[in-house]
Amino acid sequence: MITTLKTMIRDEEGATMVEYGLLVALIALVAIVGVTLLGTSLKTLFSNVASSV
């Protein structure tokens, strides 16, 4: 039983999956913010071009 407990404590597979999940969530958040800011900038640029024409 003690051997089984030691094996469970040393098992880091679940922690690695959590780290990968957090990394994917962070990348997705950065991508969403980037696309949102880029979209706002492009909207402003196209509005300025349309009003110039």
Side-chain angles (χ1 to χ4, degrees), residues 4 17 19 23 34 38-40 44-45 51:
T4 306
M17 292 302 292
E19 290 169 356
L23 196 60
L38 182 65
T40 305
T44 304
L45 177 68
S51 64

Side-chain angles (χ1 to χ4, degrees), residues 18-50:
V18 170
E19 290 169 356
Y20 282 134
L22 290 172
L23 196 60
V24 167
L26 179 64
I27 291 170
L29 181 65
V30 168
I32 290 170
V33 169
V35 168
T36 302
L37 292 175
L38 182 65
T40 305
S41 298
L42 285 176
K43 180 180 177 183
T44 304
L45 177 68
F46 285 135
S47 295
N48 290 341
V49 169

